[in-house]
Amino acid sequence: MPGYQAPETTIGPASRVTFALLGIVDDAWRSDGIIDGAPITLSAPLEADLARATELPAELVARTVAAWTQLFGLVSFELFGQTKNVIYAHEDLMRSTAEAMASFIGLAG
């Protein structure tokens, strides 16, 4: 929505899940549980934004955010019936997508 700005009181709670996922990725990175993820090209401004967000490598953060938005979108599609009469094996779709996104990020295993 053009011009929309979320109320300040909602920003912290809305970002908790994203930071939880980044925490999992951070733990994996610190314990050598990250393998080569998918290549991703970052502009200098985006790389600077990502560097401010965490101590993780910018490429890893970008892949994590991209994977998170993919999974968030998939959950939203299911909740609002966007896959109705197209996908019947919803659990399988979620599992295979989560595995693909873990691989995209570079999470081993």
Side-chain angles (χ1 to χ4, degrees), residues 6-7 11 13 19 28 40 44 51 59 81 92-93 103 107:
I11 294 172
F19 283 112
I40 190 164
E59 295 84 3
D92 294 342
L93 176 63
S103 177
L107 291 168

Side-chain angles (χ1 to χ4, degrees), residues 9-109:
T9 57
T10 66
I11 294 172
S15 62
R16 279 190 287 218
V17 176
T18 304
F19 283 112
L21 177 57
L22 281 170
I24 292 167
V25 171
D26 185 68
D27 289 347
W29 183 65
R30 292 179 190 281
S31 64
D32 295 324
I34 298 291
I35 57 175
D36 289 335
I40 190 164
T41 303
L42 306 177
S43 67
L46 177 57
E47 189 167 352
D49 286 347
L50 297 172
R52 282 191 297 274
T54 177
E55 294 177 10
L56 293 170
E59 295 84 3
L60 179 57
V61 177
R63 289 194 310 265
T64 301
V65 171
W68 171 238
T69 59
Q70 169 66 34
L71 293 170
F72 187 87
L74 182 59
V75 169
S76 178
F77 264 52
E78 184 168 340
L79 288 175
F80 294 103
Q82 298 298 312
T83 57
K84 190 174 184 141
N85 297 325
V86 176
I87 301 294
Y88 299 94
H90 295 282
E91 186 176 335
D92 294 342
L93 176 63
M94 182 58 78
R95 183 180 301 107
S96 64
T97 303
E99 289 171 357
M101 291 301 98
S103 177
F104 177 77
I105 291 171
L107 291 168

